[in-house]
C-alpha cells in the first residue's frame, strides 16, 4: 500500500481525544488544511472522545469500523490521524480499515520534503524522515529510502534488524553530510556576527505573515538582498533567509525570516532543524508574529512560545506583532503577556508600520551610541563608510576636514576611537 498522500487523493481525517486534550477542533481543522497543502482532498472526518486511548488502535474498533464503511462510501483512499501513531498502531488500524494510514507527523514530513529548497533544508528533512522511519519499522515490509522508511506491512525479526542497521547507517551518513553543508551556512552566520550589527529574528506560527513583514522591511529600507519567497499557505519556505537592512530611522540590522512553527511539530523535525533554529538564541531581538484573524490564535501563540522555550530562548527581548488586525472582530488578544511590547497592525494593509520600527529602535537602543566624530580630508573613505552604514544626523565641512553626528553600534567604538570626539548617553 502506498503510504504517501498523492495529488487529489481522497482522504478521511480522524482524531481521538481525551478529557485532557486542548484545542481539539482547531488541531483537526489544521490537519485538514495540511492535507489540502499536500495536494489531497478531505472527504470526511471522524472523531471520538475516549476515557483512555486504546494501546493498539487508539480509538475503539467500533469507531474504526465506522471509518472503514465511510471510506467505502466516499471513495477514500487514505486515512490520516491527528497525532503521532506508533508502528504497531498503524499496523493494527490498517488491519481494520484495510486502507493505508498516515499520522500527522508523516504528513508534515511529506510537506516539508516538498518545500525544502537548499541542500541544508533537504538534508534536515531527510534526517527527520529517517529518524521517524526508524521508530516505525515494526509492521513494515521493508525500509525504502523514498519517504524515509515509511513502507508497507510485515517483516520478520531478522529483516527488522537488517533494516535498523541500514537506517542507522543512513542516519550517520546524512548527519555527516548535514554537518558539512551547515559549515557553509555557519560561515555566513559568523560573518554576520563579525559585522557586529544587531540581529533580529522574525518568528511565529506558519502563515502568520513573517515573510510579508520581511519583504515590507526590505522595500521600505536600504537593504542588501532580494525579497523572500511568499505564498499564502503553510510552510511556503523552510529555509531561513537573512538580509542586512538599514531601517527608515537609519539603524543597521540583520533580519532573519525563520521557518514557521506548527502545533505538534514532530520531535524528529525539531531535532533535525535544531542547528538552524539555534540562530534564534543568538538574536538580539525577536519579533513574534501572530495572525490575529485566526480563531485558534491562542493555540498558535502557545505553540510558538513553547518551541522558543524548548530551544532555550528565554532572555531575548520580544516584540509581539499581531498581524491582520484589520480582519479581527475584537481589538485585543487577552492572553498576551504584559511583559512584552504588543503591537496591532496589518503588514499588507497598513499604510505605515512606523510603530513597529520605533519599537525595534527602542528595543535595540542599548546596542547603539550617538557620537560626534571628526575626520581629516585624508579619511574621507571612512566618512563614506559611516554614511553608507549608519544613521548620520549632522554633517559639516571644516577647515581641517569633516565633522558629523552619527549613531553607531557600540562594538564599533574601538574601530573609530581616534575619530570620536564626544559620546552622548
Amino acid at each position: 500500500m502506498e503510504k504517501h498522500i498523492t495529488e487529489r487523493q481522497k482522504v478521511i481525517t480522524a482524531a481521538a481525544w481525551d478529557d485532557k486534550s486542548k484545542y481539539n477542533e482547531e488541531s483537526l481543522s489544521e490537519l485538514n488544511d495540511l492535507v489540502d497543502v499536500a495536494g489531497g482532498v478531505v472527504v470526511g472526518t471522524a472523531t471520538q472522545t475516549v476515557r483512555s486511548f486504546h494501546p493498539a488502535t487508539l480509538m475503539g474498533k467500533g469507531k474504526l469500523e465506522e471509518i472503514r464503511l465511510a471510506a467505502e462510501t466516499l471513495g477514500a483512499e487514505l486515512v490520516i490521524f491527528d497525532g503521532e501513531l506508533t508502528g504497531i498502531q498503524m499496523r493494527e488500524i490498517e488491519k481494520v480499515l484495510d486502507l493505508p494510514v498516515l499520522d500527522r507527523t508523516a504528513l508534515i514530513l511529506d510537506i516539508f520534503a516538498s518545500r525544502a529548497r537548499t541542500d541544508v533544508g533537504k538534508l534536515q528533512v531527510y534526517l527527520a524522515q529517517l529518524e521517524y522511519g526508524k521508530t516505525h519499522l515494526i509492521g513494515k515490509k521493508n525500509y525504502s529510502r523514498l519517504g524515509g522508511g515509511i513502507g508497507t506491512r510485515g517483516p520478520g525479526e531478522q529483516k527488522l534488524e537488517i533494516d535498523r542497521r541500514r537506517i542507522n547507517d543512513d542516519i550517520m551518513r546524512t548527519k555527516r553530510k548535514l554537518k558539512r553543508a551547515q559549515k557553509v551556512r555557519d560561515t555566513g552566520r559568523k560573518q554576520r556576527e563579525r559585522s557586529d550589527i544587531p540581529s533580529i529574528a522574525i518568528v511565529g506560527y506558519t502563515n502568520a505573515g513573517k515573510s510579508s513583514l520581511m519583504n515590507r522591511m526590505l522595500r521600505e529600507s536600504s537593504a542588501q538582498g532580494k525579497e523572500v519567497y511568499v505564498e499564502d499557505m503553510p510552510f511556503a519556505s523552510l529555509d531561513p533567509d537573512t538580509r542586512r537592512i538599514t531601517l527608515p530611522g537609519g539603524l543597521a540590522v540583520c533580519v532573519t525570516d525563520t521557518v514557521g512553527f506548527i502545533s505538534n511539530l514532530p520531535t524528529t523535525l525539531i531535532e533535525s532543524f535544531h542547528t538552524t533554529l539555534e540562530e534564534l538564541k543568538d538574536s538580539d531581538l525577536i519579533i513574534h508574529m501572530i495572525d490575529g484573524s485566526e480563531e485558534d490564535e491562542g493555540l498558535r501563540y502557545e505553540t510558538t512560545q513553547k518551541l522558543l522555550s524548548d530551544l532555550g530562548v528565554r532572555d531575548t527581548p520580544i516584540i509581539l506583532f499581531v498581524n491582520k488586525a484589520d480582519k479581527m472582530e475584537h481589538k485585543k488578544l487577552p492572553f498576551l503577556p504584559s511583559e512584552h511590547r504588543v503591537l496591532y497592525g496589518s503588514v499588507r494593509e497598513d499604510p505605515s508600520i512606523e510603530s513597529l520600527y520605533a519599537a525595534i529602535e527602542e528595543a535595540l537602543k542599548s546596542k547603539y551610541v550617538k557620537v560626534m566624530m571628526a575626520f581629516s580630508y585624508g579619511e574621507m573613505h571612512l566618512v563614506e563608510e559611516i554614511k553608507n552604514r549608519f544613521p548620520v544626523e549632522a554633517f559639516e565641512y571644516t577647515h581641517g576636514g569633516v565633522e558629523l553626528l552619527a549613531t553607531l553600534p557600540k562594538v564599533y567604538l574601538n574601530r573609530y576611537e581616534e575619530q570620536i570626539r564626544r559620546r552622548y548617553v
Side-chain angles (χ1 to χ4, degrees), residues 330-364:
H330 45 289
K331 297 299 181 183
K332 303 293 180 184
L333 299 181
F335 54 81
L336 297 181
S338 58
E339 64 265 25
H340 296 316
R341 179 76 179 268
V342 182
L343 301 173
Y344 291 79
S346 174
V347 172
R348 291 190 173 181
E349 301 299 329
D350 286 352
S352 170
I353 54 171
E354 181 57 39
S355 60
L356 177 59
Y357 291 136
I360 292 172
E361 293 184 2
E362 176 67 22
L364 294 177

Side-chain angles (χ1 to χ4, degrees), residues 361-414:
E361 293 184 2
E362 176 67 22
L364 294 177
K365 68 179 182 181
S366 64
K367 302 287 182 181
Y368 295 86
V369 62
K370 187 179 294 187
V371 292
M372 178 63 74
M373 310 177 74
F375 298 86
S376 68
Y377 284 113
E379 296 174 319
M380 291 303 292
H381 63 288
L382 295 179
V383 173
E384 289 304 311
E385 179 180 273
I386 298 238
K387 288 172 63 179
N388 290 333
R389 301 186 70 181
F390 308 115
V392 175
E393 295 181 33
F395 184 92
E396 182 180 358
Y397 287 100
T398 68
H399 68 281
V402 170
E403 289 185 355
L404 57 82
L405 183 64
T407 301
L408 306 181
K410 287 183 177 179
V411 290
Y412 276 82
L413 293 180
N414 290 337

Side-chain angles (χ1 to χ4, degrees), residues 318-332:
I318 294 177
I319 294 174
L320 300 175
F321 187 90
V322 182
N323 192 28
K324 307 178 188 178
D326 55 310
K327 298 180 180 179
M328 294 173 63
E329 294 181 2
H330 45 289
K331 297 299 181 183
K332 303 293 180 184

Side-chain angles (χ1 to χ4, degrees), residues 56-120:
T57 57
L58 199 65
M59 54 175 53
K61 293 207 174 170
K63 191 66 178 181
L64 290 177
E65 183 63 22
E66 287 182 23
I67 296 174
R68 187 187 68 80
L69 293 173
E72 287 183 0
T73 302
L74 298 169
E77 306 159 82
L78 180 68
V79 177
I80 303 180
F81 276 76
D82 190 22
E84 186 165 342
L85 301 173
T86 66
I88 292 175
Q89 286 173 333
M90 280 189 176
R91 180 186 65 194
E92 295 303 313
I93 293 171
E94 285 181 346
K95 283 181 181 178
V96 178
L97 299 181
D98 195 29
L99 281 174
V101 171
L102 286 178
D103 60 12
R104 183 187 182 96
T105 299
L107 177 62
I108 292 174
L109 288 173
D110 271 1
I111 295 171
F112 269 52
S114 68
R115 295 287 186 268
R117 290 180 173 83
T118 66
D119 289 342
V120 171

